[in-house]
């Protein structure tokens, strides 16, 4: 693995191109009406397949996955509310958030009083359409702006939902990048939301580009990217892959990676897994402010990966977390909320995290009694010039001092307060000078 | 055990009645001249027996208890200082603090110069009588106000102390409430102070009412309430019950529970015993401010329970601690220092602590792989209405996530930052839904 | 060991005498041109021998010590830069910092352009001469003030360095004070700097006086004081004493002990060794402000003692650390930077540290069940008078409570927040009263 490619300098030159590529993929995916099953979800996975060799899995409706059952497949063609004069007030064709996901078919004329319980708005945000679902209890409904709602008079309305809710399949995408080891790093994102941009097309697109990037490496670990419908999708994958779950050694759930907020990391249930430390280390040395939060059993699919029967070392990386930006779960979570530079920055942070995971190992100082004479080996001042030199010098001394077979490079980077990549370069220089040897590749 | 009875709501309705009952008992006990032995102590225990089935134990003078010997029994009938004209200046009949406890009998006339070394005042508080004792070195003396002292002219005084200091018994009270388990919770308070209200009739009365309350439960643990003379009383109990001491799994020394100060908890010598965590948890979620302090080997009978040969998990719960309010150990520590609402609040906190101890256990999620589908079991929003719902929902998720056979409910409540009773209700709901099972009743 | 001699009171009376004696020794040593080898170093050790029975060891040039080789011995007689008119501009005779240490001999006339690369100044401090060395790559050079440098015109200069750089020996001094135990306490200071006062004659002289002081005790531990050239000297000692290294149980590198800054302690690599706790304890109870810093693999010879192959419990005690005062490594680090009272204070702190190390042990309460009755043994109020009494009383209670065979006196002092010497006196009083017995002399 060429670690230099993952340095901030390397990223800087690719940043603009990355941002554009991610944004362009999001723009293509945005109009599609995704749900936890159905043709919109399938079309989305097919588009991702143009970028990475995604395998699309199909799980039949009715399949039992732990305590759950895969629901019927939902496909919608048309949905609207029409006045008696034939004018359409609310139309799925205008915005796919107008329909409550998993609405059953209906074609009826009814009074406003009868219609009202099926209408959902955001009274405080009169121009936004909310996002609502009813996956597991059969129902129907429309989401509309408060302004639309206010315009409804006491007349009769023609309500049409032309949808199928019938046995079919749940689809999810899986990208496997084999590494030198069977030990696997998991990246998971939910791909079931309709036209919502930050939650979660931002992460779907960033994960796709991260997958492309890792394909260009010869990684030590194997990598598994999951593009799954929330909850039922991750549960389906877990149920179908129980024997392989023990090989997952690090993991991240990704979401909300395009807004302008600072990076936020929610730790795995374990709290002190290597992934928890690696992410915290990268964020601490990244220029941006950031937040580290302890695990709570609410959020995205980390709820499933971190359930006590699995307890996988899987954290959750976002910019502004779910529910903490006001556009969340509304039509305002659209393309205008995203910035290419934020998306590229999120990708860069993930690449740095991968570099830590890939580059970490336990070394042993081959000359542990006293310091070796670095000067005659050209290691004093030989690693770089200018202001970086002092930090490089200290990195050499830290690695020599702590490379006793019990500290990983990440341990050393944390104790030294020096970025991992500098510590890693120092280790490489010491290996080249025959002063260091590998003790264990598994930290 | 009906946990609902111990919630804050349940307590609110009983608060006024509790406060009145506790205050009334204190008022009855206040005039009695208690000491570490004698008829006043015995009378006090007899009054408590009207409220709870206290066993009164009598330990003969001269009994060796570890490094100590039970002293002679002290009984006083009359004590005064008389001017030559027969006017009494200081009279035990007016306030039983006027006599130094354990004063030997005397009937003599002497000069002020000879009398003076036997007189004790609080110069900074000219209207308060100090409280003084001389249990273990034979002496005699009077306590008086600085104002009384200043009025003494250079004449001769007739000094009378009509007291017995002779072989007899040391009395202490013991209330045992058997539970389902032999493991025992200890509550201990000192009952040897004469007319002092906060230190310690407040705790004597609150403990009595707590005993009454626990009698109405069918507790899991056995409970042992000790009403003992300070130091020699707890040592006597320890010496006579050495074989049972290993069964004490939680304990609290109680004192100063009626003043207006915030609750203060002094940890057991262990510092991280379950009682330490339970009390801290209850105080953290209680409305009032509070203090948690580490163990120090000075204070009340926790000094004996926490001596290294026993090292029992016994902390000390007070409002304002001994020595930290100015009325402490003076005639100003009287009924006017107490408020029924403070006494009732102290009882309520103790009931909550009992609820944590009683309700704690280790559970196991029966569906540990992924989350169970709470919706189809009516557990989403089914636990309560309005604002409490979100916390109840989170409580369900926390219990499911951490019920892995290694976290107790108290562990879960602490990690979730949710009150124990909410966590306990969530566990009960999950048990009812067959989603949870007991792993171990002993946390 | 007479612990009373090490109390602050005892030191107060000796403080002025100590300060004078240390200062006087420094003044004698200051003019000598020391280096990592050579006659100046040898003369310095000989002067120290007048105060303590130092053994001077000689290691032949060319000896391999771990990754290093002992260099040739360097001796300098004369060095100067002369104008064509014979006027000396820079003269070693005026200040021995004028010569780059280990300069090879030269006698040549050259242009300013050729001379310039061999001249070193401190441009920001135009009147100070820097201190420079070139031990391990053969070179020559002069250090001068920026003012001298500015006066150099474009003419030819006669450059003379009359020095030997030839096989000889590296000298170091070693003072062994045998104690009752083989377990050894190490004090190490570098003695290789020419006319620099704070770095490090201050520590050389303080260590000498500390050695004298410990000789007057009958110490429990053995003590080993090293006066070594930096890096190569400590490495030489380590290489020649590998079999004895395991007996070093506590150690301190000493430097910069005469300036006006607060005491600074840099922890050993272990971070929580007894020496780390003992120094922190003494500094915490010392009147002065102080700093405790974690280990970093840069600094003085603790780099060697704490290399992973040895990992000795050796910290570093200074006032202002190396590189953090502006006079560091320049002619301004001279006698005027030192104050006798600072030197004496440093010695006093070291004596207190020795008192903790010497006085620490693990005891067992012989009466562990309940408190013993201190009153009848005269231990209440019997230890001292006035304001010290309360602290003494608490010390008795703390020792009785924690002397359970698993807490050392230092543990007790830390938990009690009471100075070690008070705890130690309490332990002595309890031993005298037969209430305490030794459990283990090795904490």
């Amino acid at each position: 693995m060429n670690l230099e490619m993952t340095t901030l300098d390397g990223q800087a030159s690719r940043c603009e191109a990355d941002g554009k590529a991610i944004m362009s993929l999001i723009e293509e995916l945005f109009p599609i009406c995704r749900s936890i099953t159905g043709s919109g979800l399938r079309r989305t996975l097919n588009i991702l397949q143009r970028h990475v060799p995604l395998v699309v899995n199909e799980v039949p409706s009715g399949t039992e996955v732990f305590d759950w059952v895969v629901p019927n497949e939902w496909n919608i063609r048309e949905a609207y509310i029409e006045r008696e004069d034939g004018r359409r007030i609310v139309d799925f064709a205008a915005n796919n958030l107008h329909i409550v996901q998993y609405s059953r078919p209906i074609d009826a004329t009814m009074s406003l009083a009868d219609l009202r319980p099926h209408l959902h708005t955001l009274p405080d945000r009169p121009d936004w359409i909310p996002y609502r679902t009813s996956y597991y209890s059969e129902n129907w409904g429309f989401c509309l702006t408060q302004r639309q709602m206010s315009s409804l008079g006491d007349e009769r309305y023609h309500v049409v939902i032309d949808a199928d809710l019938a046995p079919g399949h749940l689809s999810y995408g899986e990208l496997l990048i084999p590494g030198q080891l069977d030990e696997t790093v998991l990246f998971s994102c939910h791909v079931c939301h309709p036209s919502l941009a930050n939650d979660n097309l931002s992460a779907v697109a960033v994960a796709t580009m991260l997958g492309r990037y890792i394909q260009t490496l010869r990684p030590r670990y194997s990598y598994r990217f999951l593009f799954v419908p929330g909850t039922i999708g991750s549960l389906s994958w877990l149920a179908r892959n129980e024997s392989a779950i023990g090989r997952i050694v690090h993991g991240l759930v990704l979401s909300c990676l395009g807004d302008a907020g600072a990076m936020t990391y929610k730790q795995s249930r374990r709290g002190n897994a290597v992934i928890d430390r690696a992410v915290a280390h990268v964020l601490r040395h990244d220029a941006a402010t950031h937040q580290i939060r302890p695990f709570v059993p609410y959020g995205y699919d980390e709820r499933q990966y971190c359930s006590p029967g699995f307890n996988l070392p899987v954290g959750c990386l976002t910019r502004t977390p779910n529910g903490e930006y006001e556009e969340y779960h509304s039509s305002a979570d659209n393309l205008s909320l995203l910035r290419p530079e934020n998306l590229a920055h999120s990708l860069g942070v993930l690449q740095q995290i991968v570099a830590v995971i890939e580059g970490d190992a336990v070394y042993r100082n081959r000359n542990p009694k006293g310091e070796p004479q670095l000067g005659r080996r050209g290691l004093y001042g030989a690693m770089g010039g200018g202001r970086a030199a002092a930090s490089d010098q200290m990195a050499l001394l830290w690695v020599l001092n702590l490379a006793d077979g019990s500290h990983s490079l990440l341990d050393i980077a944390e104790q030294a307060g020096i970025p991992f990549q500098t510590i890693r370069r120092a280790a490489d220089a010491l290996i080249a000078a025959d002063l260091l040897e590998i003790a264990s590749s598994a930290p």
Side-chain angles (χ1 to χ4, degrees), chain A:
Chain A
M1 169 167 198
N2 184 343
L3 288 162
E4 294 303 322
M5 291 190 59
T6 67
T7 61
L8 284 171
D9 281 358
Q11 279 166 26
S13 64
R14 291 195 331 208
C15 187
E16 199 178 323
D18 282 345
K20 274 188 189 162
I22 300 167
M23 196 68 203
S24 158
L25 176 54
I26 293 171
E27 284 162 356
E28 182 175 5
L29 297 171
F30 187 73
I32 301 170
C33 180
R34 278 163 294 277
S35 185
I36 57 170
T37 61
S39 60
L41 171 59
R42 217 169 268 118
R43 185 139 37 102
T44 297
L45 297 174
N46 293 342
I47 290 171
L48 299 184
Q49 283 177 318
R50 284 191 233 135
H51 297 270
V52 283
L54 208 65
V55 173
V56 176
N57 299 271
E58 299 280 350
V59 188
S61 302
T63 303
E64 293 190 9
V65 287
F66 306 119
D67 193 53
W68 303 63
V69 176
V70 172
N72 281 338
E73 187 173 325
W74 184 65
N75 283 292
I76 182 162
R77 280 169 296 274
E78 196 178 37
Y80 55 84
I81 303 172
E82 223 173 37
R83 287 188 196 273
E84 284 174 300
D85 62 8
R87 240 184 328 130
R88 293 196 178 173
I89 306 151
V90 176
D91 191 346
F92 170 73
N95 191 320
N96 58 39
L97 293 180
H98 275 315
I99 193 74
V100 171
Q101 293 239 323
Y102 262 67
S103 284
R104 65 169 169 76
I106 190 171
D107 185 341
T109 299
M110 61 185 73
S111 67
L112 180 60
D114 288 344
L115 177 58
R116 201 140 227 173
H118 295 274
L119 302 182
H120 306 274
T121 67
L122 294 168
D124 291 346
R125 288 290 177 176
D127 292 316
W128 294 2
I129 309 162
Y131 163 61
R132 293 284 182 275
T133 70
S134 186
Y135 301 136
Y136 299 102
S137 70
E138 209 174 291
N139 207 333
W140 63 270
F142 285 85
C143 300
L144 59 164
T145 68
Q146 183 60 37
R147 223 172 285 281
Q148 287 174 312
M149 176 74 106
S150 307
S151 73
L152 297 186
D154 189 13
E155 49 186 300
R156 292 183 69 77
Y157 294 91
H158 182 203
V159 176
V160 172
I161 300 177
D162 177 13
D164 294 331
L165 191 51
H169 292 82
L170 172 146
S171 318
Y172 69 83
E174 192 172 10
L175 168 65
L176 174 64
I177 306 171
Q180 298 158 42
L181 303 171
D182 281 343
E183 277 84 353
T184 300
V185 182
L186 182 76
F187 289 99
S188 176
C189 56
H190 64 279
V191 69
C192 53
H193 284 16
S195 297
L196 295 174
N198 198 36
D199 174 24
N200 193 23
L201 288 179
S202 65
V204 168
V206 167
T208 302
M209 295 306 167
L210 181 64
R212 278 183 73 141
Y213 166 77
I214 293 173
Q215 280 186 301
T216 67
L217 313 172
R218 290 169 40 81
R220 186 160 60 136
Y221 289 110
S222 297
Y223 285 79
R224 204 173 278 273
F225 285 78
L226 301 183
F227 300 86
V228 289
T231 307
I232 189 67
S234 55
L235 287 169
S236 295
W237 182 83
L238 284 164
R240 290 156 64 108
N241 293 275
E242 276 204 72
S243 64
I245 284 170
R247 290 196 295 246
I248 294 174
V249 290
H250 314 294
L252 286 178
V253 167
L254 304 178
S255 185
C256 303
L257 292 175
D259 64 281
M263 300 298 298
T264 302
Y265 179 63
K266 171 180 159 183
Q267 295 172 328
S268 78
R269 181 180 185 269
R270 302 185 187 181
N272 63 350
V274 174
I275 187 68
D276 298 320
R277 296 172 47 215
V279 175
H281 179 82
V282 167
L283 293 182
R284 196 177 307 127
H285 289 282
D286 190 74
T289 57
H290 68 278
Q291 283 191 47
I292 310 285
R293 302 181 177 187
F295 177 77
V296 295
Y298 187 76
Y300 290 112
D301 282 331
E302 68 276 10
R303 294 163 68 160
Q304 312 308 328
Y305 302 125
C306 295
S307 59
F310 299 118
N311 194 23
L312 294 177
V314 174
C316 177
L317 189 69
T318 61
R319 299 186 79 89
T320 306
N322 50 308
E324 301 186 20
Y325 58 100
E326 56 179 355
E327 300 89 348
Y328 177 74
H329 276 193
S330 84
S331 56
D333 184 352
N334 56 38
L335 295 172
S336 69
L337 196 63
L338 308 185
R339 288 283 173 282
E341 59 270 28
N342 299 334
L343 293 159
H345 175 255
S346 298
L347 176 62
V349 165
L350 283 161
Q351 287 169 331
Q352 288 183 69
I353 293 166
V354 167
V356 172
I357 291 170
E358 286 285 320
D360 199 17
V362 178
Y363 292 87
R364 191 177 286 115
N365 182 341
R366 299 192 63 195
N367 187 83
K369 295 184 174 176
E371 291 177 2
Q373 200 178 355
L374 297 178
R376 69 169 153 93
R377 292 179 176 86
L379 285 172
Y380 253 147
M383 290 180 62
R387 300 186 48 190
S391 156
D392 284 349
Q393 214 82 294
M394 284 306 295
L396 287 168
L397 295 176
W398 274 112
V399 172
L400 285 169
N401 190 270
L402 292 180
D404 54 6
S406 72
H407 293 86
S408 71
L409 290 189
L410 180 54
D411 292 337
I412 298 174
E414 286 182 338
Q415 196 165 331
I418 291 175
F420 181 86
Q421 296 294 63
T422 308
I423 291 293
R424 172 75 222 201
R425 280 205 309 277
D428 291 345
L430 291 168
I431 285 165
D434 220 20
L435 287 169
L436 202 66
E437 65 189 12
I438 199 135
S440 157
S441 60

